[in-house]
Amino acid sequence: METLVQARPLIMTLFFASLVFIGIGVFENTRIVFRTGAVTGHIVLFLFLLTESFGSISRKRSKTSRNMARVFLVLSGFVIAEILENLIMVLFS
């Protein structure tokens, strides 16, 4: 977990870069860039929420903040599970 905490600047940079890719994909009407940005954004958002929910950073947050982060982590986990399911379906179809 501490490795993820130390990588938070990179996680945040990747998140904002994925937002840029989503914007470029929509503006240029290229689905692959849009989807790549969206998938990357969801994965790094999940990692960010993981560091907010558990680890040394979460101990600095209030109990309400930690619980909210955990709720959003579960919801984000469903999105990641759907991404993995779609990836497996594409690989084996």
Side-chain angles (χ1 to χ4, degrees), residues 1-14 47 51:
M1 185 59 65
E2 291 305 314
T3 305
L4 281 177
V5 170
Q6 292 173 355
R8 276 178 69 121
L10 177 63
I11 289 171
M12 294 303 295
T13 303
L14 285 175
L47 294 175
T51 61

Side-chain angles (χ1 to χ4, degrees), residues 1 4 8 11-12 42-55 58 65-66 68-77:
M1 185 59 65
L4 281 177
R8 276 178 69 121
I11 289 171
M12 294 303 295
H42 278 96
I43 291 171
V44 296
L45 182 62
F46 179 79
L47 294 175
F48 177 78
L49 288 171
L50 192 63
T51 61
E52 283 291 320
S53 299
F54 306 103
S58 71
S65 177
R66 265 183 283 160
M68 281 180 47
R70 289 174 183 163
V71 167
F72 287 114
L73 179 69
V74 169
L75 296 174
S76 180

Side-chain angles (χ1 to χ4, degrees), residues 9-79:
L10 177 63
I11 289 171
M12 294 303 295
T13 303
L14 285 175
F15 179 73
F16 288 114
S18 69
L19 292 179
V20 170
F21 279 116
I22 290 171
I24 290 171
V26 168
F27 183 74
E28 293 293 327
N29 200 16
T30 52
R31 287 183 139 179
I32 190 70
V33 176
F34 174 75
R35 287 183 180 173
T36 302
V39 168
T40 304
H42 278 96
I43 291 171
V44 296
L45 182 62
F46 179 79
L47 294 175
F48 177 78
L49 288 171
L50 192 63
T51 61
E52 283 291 320
S53 299
F54 306 103
S56 61
I57 291 182
S58 71
R59 287 185 220 115
K60 298 176 185 175
R61 307 284 189 242
S62 68
K63 187 175 181 180
T64 305
S65 177
R66 265 183 283 160
N67 288 334
M68 281 180 47
R70 289 174 183 163
V71 167
F72 287 114
L73 179 69
V74 169
L75 296 174
S76 180
F78 288 139
V79 174

